[in-house]
Amino acid sequence: MKRKDIHDILHPTSIAVVGVSNDQAKGATLFLSSLLEIGYEGQLYPVNPSVKEAMGRKTYPSLLAIPGRVDHVIVGVPARIAPSIVQEAVAKGVQSIHFFTSGFAEVGTDEGRTLQKAISDIARGKVRIIGPNCMGIYNPKAKIAFDGGQLPIAGGAAFVSQSGGLATYFARNAIQEGNYCSKVVSIGNSSDLRITDFFEYFSEDDDTETISMYIEGMADGEGRKLLNILEETTGRKPVLIWKGGQSDQGARTAFSHTGAMATSYGLWQTVVRQCGAILVDNVEEMQDFIKLHRLSSPSKGTRSCLVTFGGGNSVAYSDICAKEGILLPELEEKTQAALVEFIPPMGTIRNNPVDMSAAGWVPGVIERSLMNVAKDPNIDSIVFVTQIGFVAGANAERFGMDPKVILDFQVREVVSASQRLDIPLVCVNPVPFEDLALEELRLYVKREFEKNNIATFLSMERAARALKRRHDYDRFVDKVKAMHVQ
Amino acid sequence: MKRKDIHDILHPTSIAVVGVSNDQAKGATLFLSSLLEIGYEGQLYPVNPSVKEAMGRKTYPSLLAIPGRVDHVIVGVPARIAPSIVQEAVAKGVQSIHFFTSGFAEVGTDEGRTLQKAISDIARGKVRIIGPNCMGIYNPKAKIAFDGGQLPIAGGAAFVSQSGGLATYFARNAIQEGNYCSKVVSIGNSSDLRITDFFEYFSEDDDTETISMYIEGMADGEGRKLLNILEETTGRKPVLIWKGGQSDQGARTAFSHTGAMATSYGLWQTVVRQCGAILVDNVEEMQDFIKLHRLSSPSKGTRSCLVTFGGGNSVAYSDICAKEGILLPELEEKTQAALVEFIPPMGTIRNNPVDMSAAGWVPGVIERSLMNVAKDPNIDSIVFVTQIGFVAGANAERFGMDPKVILDFQVREVVSASQRLDIPLVCVNPVPFEDLALEELRLYVKREFEKNNIATFLSMERAARALKRRHDYDRFVDKVKAMHVQ
């Protein structure tokens, strides 16, 4: 598979959507409306022999009835019709077909396997297949989408997935976190185009800064290829891999899902980590890493200082950090002495975590705390922890204060400090309570921080995990660079 | 410590609050306003020699100046004044003092230790002390509160905590989850009254159905007492223990927090588990268990069936369940045959997880799926997974459907099935996206389910963990009962 081929497949200048109707709940129509919503600028041809018009657009009875050239075909028709569509596509000379259609090898029946073999046989050497049983392509730059809400805003995050649901989820989550995508590809049963075909492309793609993959299983020989591309890539770009079907019961589900045969997860972990890949367990961990990579500079080590309010959380947070491999060393005497000047001794922990308690409400205390901690030679990064529920909840109401005013001053102090610090500062900004007003304030704080390049995380655990992964990856890159220098 | 004493301390008929002012941000005043907000019905005496009135109430210059009897005293004054307050309390003949005041042993200075010893020495044998450095008592039945928003609604959840922040958080979280409290006590440095004093009381307290504890460290000999009470209690009531300071760095923080000396967590785990305690790692895990215990009947085993939409999550969910000790066995041929009658084969997994895909939008499918799964002899419980983002998000909008109508029909089907099932049914209802409208719908679905005794959990991981803990606890109780019969 050459790079050029994949590039063309991801940038078609004309698309036919086969199986559209006026029922928007039906698969093919969903793709048509997604393409219309994102504003696809190429030629768009709805195909259905039974209707004259779909979503206000003229339909064509078949691929062959389309007057112009067709680069890419999206298919949502019953599986038994699939072989005839491939025949048409071959006759029409299209470059790629994406089958949303399911009912192939993943069903585990002879009929399903036979149908999948049939489309592969007809297409081989003539038309490339994405799928079957998948969502296909989201390419914001080329304005191709497979779901509503997929914005035409391009970024550096690439994702290739053996699950359509997770591809959909990744794209939505990425947009939510500001981790805009370069390309997202859902490949389903990968009867033809595989994980490694897209991985290889993303590795060389200048628009792609991080590569994420959801893998359930691989074809014979594909594992070796994956490792080769990993070795080629991880020194230049982070590669995040989530392996579905790690457990026996997950592997059984993965088989029913995409017909994938899984290998032992232990083996996976070892070899894939050796090649510098970052192993994750869900989409959120992908987004957390991508965000930290996007917004933060590398840290020199795993020694963090937490700056927070309230002792009970401090202990819990220390335990979480220990578990995730983030150290919270004691602060120097000098730093402690500096902090005690403006954080009163009562009810506070002047050590690490720095617990500002109620002093955190006094203007200047947050910023001075952060600046002093950053000077401590034992500290490589700072984690600021918000307390929206505490700051903006019952207390603000009771004191007759506008919660937004308090939060604004806190945000201002953190942002101002972060711009002067020479070590990374990130933020844990947990969901306060199930209160829509507080949730709105949390989202406000998140936006303000991230606008100013301060990555926020929903929990201490997620922040610690991202920091550790980032650290491990940065050290890996250092080693690769050192090797190249020699 | 006799039960009667603790009972009296938790049900004072008169309370003095020392150190009140008109500055609501100040500690003592916060307690006064919390007591007023919850509607404390006993005598309430604000004390401060420097002001005549606080929050519209006459203040007294000292405890001795109060005309009537005083059962309980809440103190928020600087630590150095604390000994003189204890002297007054002894002279006044009060039964208990709660010191919100911090600056004692937890600071790690000679001065702090000396002050803590001083108040203990003066009080010994005359007045009981809660704290210092803590939030004291929330008793909804007696209408005593230490925070705004603490409702006078009593339930079965008791909590005793060495962290004030976590006691505050537990109470708020409990109210949010409908796990109303019997009593919450924050004991801070436990210079006098300890974890085990309250544990012993909760063990016998008829209003208490579950007992939760946050422990950072225990005094000499208290560990033995804890085990004795555990052995006495766990066959009758679940006891949940969160041990803070599990790691070395957490233990160091715990020391700065409440002056507690921690023991090895490994030892803890072993002995405490042997006595039937349920070990947890945060307040959310406590609430999840309490909710499951409150709403669900025991299950016969750990074999669950997930009923959901969308394949990618199914694989991830299988892996999570495997990790948490929840089995997802294959369904019987007969069950699979029944399901295939109304769930079309395409894109679905008729096995476990049951993936209804788009068929889940067809009226009747959810209820019939649940009823058929429940009949399968391989299945002990059902986990229904909502997809608010998918059901009510972009798709509902695009199809011009009212998301609430779709959700209502789905909720109705699940509730109707759950009322006819003879195995437990719980629900995973994850936060959809950072969208306030969707979050509102999620909360709506949560309320509807829990009103109908279907426990909802924020993630598959949390549901699986709660199910496993519940199962382990139920088997422990079976064993205890079997022993008693012999």
Side-chain angles (χ1 to χ4, degrees):
Chain A
M1 191 68 212
K2 287 189 230 95
R3 276 202 62 224
K4 180 71 173 68
D5 294 344
I6 294 283
H7 185 83
D8 291 347
I9 289 170
L10 294 174
H11 298 81
T13 56
S14 50
I15 301 178
V17 187
V18 181
V20 295
S21 66
N22 283 304
D23 179 354
Q24 289 210 47
K26 285 283 161 59
T29 317
L30 208 128
F31 288 90
L32 179 59
S33 72
S34 301
L35 289 165
L36 292 172
E37 186 187 316
I38 199 172
Y40 176 64
E41 288 162 349
Q43 290 297 318
L44 200 48
Y45 303 108
V47 176
N48 188 340
S50 327
V51 298
K52 286 239 156 81
E53 210 190 75
M55 303 193 67
R57 297 191 147 231
K58 168 183 166 31
T59 61
Y60 296 82
S62 71
L63 287 176
L64 293 170
I66 295 169
R69 172 181 164 69
V70 173
D71 283 346
H72 183 60
V73 182
I74 299 172
V75 184
V77 299
R80 64 192 152 70
I81 309 173
S84 67
I85 304 286
V86 183
Q87 270 159 347
E88 267 189 59
V90 169
K92 180 72 183 168
V94 313
Q95 64 190 20
S96 53
I97 309 185
H98 149 218
F99 276 103
F100 170 65
T101 304
S102 51
F104 295 89
E106 83 282 2
V107 194
T109 61
D110 283 341
E111 192 196 352
R113 276 185 291 268
T114 307
L115 276 171
Q116 186 161 319
K117 190 171 177 303
I119 58 169
S120 304
D121 288 346
I122 302 166
R124 188 166 299 117
K126 293 164 191 146
V127 177
R128 306 305 309 251
I129 296 177
I130 299 178
N133 181 29
C134 69
M135 300 303 292
I137 302 164
Y138 167 42
N139 180 346
K141 211 172 178 181
K143 296 190 182 171
I144 298 171
F146 60 74
D147 188 23
Q150 288 182 340
L151 303 178
I153 304 177
F159 184 50
V160 55
S161 172
Q162 276 183 316
S163 158
L166 291 178
T168 308
Y169 183 64
F170 182 96
R172 279 209 205 177
N173 218 236
I175 291 167
Q176 172 187 297
E177 298 304 325
N179 294 333
Y180 295 107
C181 301
S182 60
K183 285 99 186 170
V184 172
V185 187
S186 152
I187 59 164
N189 298 5
S190 15
S191 70
D192 175 18
L193 288 170
R194 295 173 179 175
I195 289 274
T196 43
D197 293 315
F198 292 98
F199 181 20
E200 196 169 23
Y201 173 78
F202 294 149
S203 174
E204 301 298 326
D205 178 26
D206 288 338
D207 292 337
T208 293
E209 287 157 20
T210 60
I211 302 170
S212 301
M213 305 188 226
Y214 172 73
I215 305 179
E216 292 189 349
M218 306 194 83
D220 280 350
E222 210 192 353
R224 175 64 4 229
K225 193 176 169 195
L226 181 88
L227 298 183
N228 290 342
I229 312 172
L230 271 177
E231 283 175 344
E232 240 310 291
T233 312
T234 47
R236 295 179 289 112
K237 301 178 185 186
V239 179
L240 298 140
I241 303 184
W242 175 14
K243 178 72 176 65
Q246 296 172 14
S247 62
D248 286 352
Q249 71 189 23
R252 182 169 54 72
T253 311
F255 177 77
S256 331
H257 183 214
T258 51
M261 293 299 289
T263 46
S264 127
Y265 186 56
L267 188 65
W268 253 90
Q269 284 190 302
T270 312
V271 293
V272 156
R273 271 216 188 101
Q274 275 169 355
C275 298
I278 301 153
L279 291 170
V280 298
D281 276 323
N282 51 57
V283 167
E284 288 79 5
E285 291 180 359
M286 291 176 171
Q287 302 295 353
D288 286 344
F289 181 92
I290 296 168
K291 190 195 281 180
L292 187 63
H293 184 259
R294 186 168 59 82
L295 296 179
S296 243
S297 54
S299 67
K300 274 170 243 131
T302 54
R303 302 170 308 166
S304 279
C305 182
L306 310 189
V307 177
T308 177
F309 319 83
N313 273 335
S314 294
V315 178
Y317 285 174
S318 296
D319 282 336
I320 291 166
C321 285
K323 200 175 153 198
E324 301 299 335
I326 293 297
L327 304 172
L328 305 182
E330 294 197 27
L331 297 175
E332 278 201 326
E333 286 290 334
K334 202 177 135 190
T335 314
Q336 295 195 30
L339 290 173
V340 82
E341 276 183 33
F342 50 91
I343 303 178
M346 285 197 301
T348 60
I349 298 162
R350 287 184 310 280
N351 219 309
N352 182 4
V354 172
D355 176 1
M356 297 176 296
S357 275
W361 274 251
V362 179
V365 167
I366 295 176
E367 186 165 3
R368 287 175 74 189
S369 298
L370 298 172
M371 293 314 296
N372 275 288
V373 166
K375 278 186 241 157
D376 193 303
N378 296 330
I379 300 303
D380 303 315
S381 65
I382 298 181
V383 181
F384 178 79
V385 186
T386 69
Q387 291 259 35
I388 307 285
F390 188 32
V391 173
N395 287 326
E397 197 178 296
R398 165 185 293 191
F399 303 154
M401 288 154 92
D402 179 352
K404 211 157 173 187
V405 171
I406 312 177
L407 290 173
D408 265 336
F409 116 73
Q410 295 196 345
V411 165
R412 244 191 339 268
E413 297 214 356
V414 177
V415 168
S416 160
S418 84
Q419 288 164 346
R420 297 154 60 204
L421 296 180
D422 50 5
I423 61 173
L425 181 143
V426 302
C427 173
V428 171
N429 188 31
V431 171
F433 291 97
E434 293 192 330
D435 175 309
L436 293 176
L438 291 180
E439 178 64 4
E440 195 171 356
L441 290 170
R442 182 184 73 79
L443 295 177
Y444 169 74
V445 166
K446 177 184 174 175
R447 276 193 304 274
E448 290 299 310
F449 275 144
E450 300 198 343
K451 220 162 61 183
N452 288 286
N453 297 327
I454 299 171
T456 69
F457 301 91
L458 261 181
S459 68
M460 187 68 240
E461 197 167 25
R462 287 175 60 173
R465 211 167 271 180
L467 283 169
K468 180 61 165 56
R469 286 192 171 116
R470 175 72 198 272
H471 174 79
D472 290 349
Y473 177 69
D474 288 337
R475 292 303 76 77
F476 174 82
V477 172
D478 289 345
K479 265 192 279 177
V480 171
K481 280 187 187 154
M483 271 164 50
H484 282 260
V485 168
Q486 285 177 334
Chain B
M1 191 70 210
K2 287 187 229 98
R3 275 202 62 226
K4 180 69 171 68
D5 294 342
I6 294 283
H7 185 83
D8 291 345
I9 289 170
L10 294 174
H11 298 81
T13 55
S14 48
I15 301 178
V17 187
V18 180
V20 294
S21 66
N22 282 304
D23 179 354
Q24 289 208 48
K26 285 285 160 61
T29 318
L30 207 131
F31 288 91
L32 179 59
S33 73
S34 300
L35 289 164
L36 293 171
E37 185 188 316
I38 199 173
Y40 177 64
E41 288 162 349
Q43 291 298 318
L44 199 49
Y45 304 108
V47 175
N48 187 339
S50 326
V51 297
K52 285 240 153 83
E53 210 188 75
M55 303 193 67
R57 296 192 147 231
K58 170 184 165 29
T59 62
Y60 295 83
S62 71
L63 287 176
L64 293 170
I66 295 169
R69 176 181 160 68
V70 174
D71 283 347
H72 184 60
V73 182
I74 299 172
V75 183
V77 298
R80 63 193 153 70
I81 310 174
S84 67
I85 305 286
V86 182
Q87 269 159 348
E88 267 188 58
V90 170
K92 180 73 184 170
V94 312
Q95 65 190 19
S96 53
I97 309 185
H98 150 218
F99 277 102
F100 170 64
T101 304
S102 51
F104 296 90
E106 84 280 3
V107 193
T109 60
D110 282 340
E111 191 196 349
R113 277 186 291 268
T114 306
L115 276 171
Q116 187 161 319
K117 188 170 181 300
I119 60 169
S120 304
D121 288 346
I122 303 167
R124 187 166 303 118
K126 292 163 190 149
V127 177
R128 305 307 307 251
I129 296 177
I130 299 178
N133 182 27
C134 70
M135 300 304 291
I137 304 164
Y138 167 43
N139 180 346
K141 211 172 178 181
K143 297 189 181 171
I144 297 170
F146 61 73
D147 188 23
Q150 289 183 340
L151 303 178
I153 305 176
F159 184 50
V160 55
S161 172
Q162 276 182 314
S163 157
L166 291 178
T168 307
Y169 182 65
F170 182 96
R172 280 208 203 177
N173 217 235
I175 291 167
Q176 171 188 300
E177 299 302 325
N179 294 333
Y180 295 107
C181 300
S182 61
K183 285 99 187 169
V184 172
V185 187
S186 152
I187 58 164
N189 298 5
S190 16
S191 68
D192 174 22
L193 288 169
R194 295 172 179 176
I195 290 275
T196 44
D197 293 315
F198 292 98
F199 180 20
E200 195 169 23
Y201 173 78
F202 294 149
S203 173
E204 301 297 327
D205 178 27
D206 288 339
D207 292 336
T208 294
E209 287 157 20
T210 59
I211 302 170
S212 300
M213 302 187 228
Y214 172 72
I215 305 179
E216 292 190 349
M218 306 195 82
D220 280 350
E222 210 192 351
R224 173 67 1 231
K225 193 175 168 194
L226 181 89
L227 298 182
N228 290 342
I229 312 171
L230 271 177
E231 282 176 343
E232 239 311 292
T233 311
T234 48
R236 296 178 286 114
K237 301 179 186 186
V239 179
L240 299 139
I241 303 184
W242 175 13
K243 178 70 175 68
Q246 295 170 16
S247 61
D248 286 350
Q249 72 188 22
R252 183 169 54 73
T253 311
F255 177 77
S256 332
H257 184 215
T258 52
M261 292 300 288
T263 46
S264 126
Y265 186 57
L267 186 69
W268 253 91
Q269 284 190 302
T270 312
V271 294
V272 156
R273 271 216 187 100
Q274 276 170 355
C275 297
I278 301 151
L279 291 171
V280 297
D281 276 322
N282 51 56
V283 166
E284 287 79 6
E285 290 181 0
M286 290 177 172
Q287 303 295 353
D288 286 345
F289 181 94
I290 296 168
K291 190 196 279 179
L292 187 64
H293 184 258
R294 186 167 60 81
L295 296 179
S296 242
S297 53
S299 67
K300 274 170 241 128
T302 53
R303 301 170 310 165
S304 280
C305 182
L306 310 190
V307 179
T308 177
F309 320 83
N313 274 335
S314 295
V315 178
Y317 285 174
S318 296
D319 282 336
I320 291 168
C321 286
K323 199 175 154 197
E324 301 298 335
I326 293 297
L327 303 172
L328 305 182
E330 293 197 28
L331 298 174
E332 276 201 328
E333 286 289 335
K334 203 176 133 190
T335 313
Q336 295 193 33
L339 291 174
V340 83
E341 277 184 32
F342 50 91
I343 303 179
M346 284 197 303
T348 59
I349 298 162
R350 288 184 309 282
N351 219 308
N352 182 6
V354 172
D355 177 0
M356 298 177 295
S357 275
W361 274 252
V362 180
V365 167
I366 294 175
E367 185 164 5
R368 286 175 73 191
S369 298
L370 297 172
M371 295 312 296
N372 275 289
V373 166
K375 276 187 241 157
D376 193 302
N378 296 330
I379 299 302
D380 303 314
S381 65
I382 298 180
V383 180
F384 178 79
V385 185
T386 69
Q387 291 259 36
I388 308 285
F390 189 32
V391 172
N395 286 325
E397 196 180 295
R398 164 185 297 190
F399 303 153
M401 289 157 89
D402 179 351
K404 209 157 174 185
V405 171
I406 314 177
L407 289 173
D408 265 336
F409 117 74
Q410 294 197 343
V411 165
R412 244 191 339 266
E413 297 214 356
V414 177
V415 168
S416 161
S418 82
Q419 287 162 349
R420 296 155 60 206
L421 297 180
D422 49 7
I423 61 174
L425 180 143
V426 302
C427 173
V428 171
N429 188 33
V431 171
F433 290 97
E434 293 193 330
D435 175 309
L436 293 176
L438 292 179
E439 177 64 6
E440 193 170 357
L441 290 170
R442 183 184 72 80
L443 294 177
Y444 170 74
V445 166
K446 176 183 175 175
R447 276 193 304 273
E448 289 302 308
F449 276 145
E450 299 199 343
K451 218 161 64 182
N452 287 287
N453 296 327
I454 299 170
T456 69
F457 301 92
L458 261 181
S459 69
M460 187 68 239
E461 196 169 26
R462 285 175 61 172
R465 209 167 272 179
L467 284 168
K468 180 61 165 53
R469 286 193 171 118
R470 175 72 197 272
H471 173 79
D472 290 348
Y473 178 69
D474 288 339
R475 292 304 75 78
F476 174 83
V477 171
D478 290 347
K479 266 193 280 176
V480 171
K481 281 186 185 150
M483 269 164 49
H484 282 261
V485 169
Q486 283 176 338

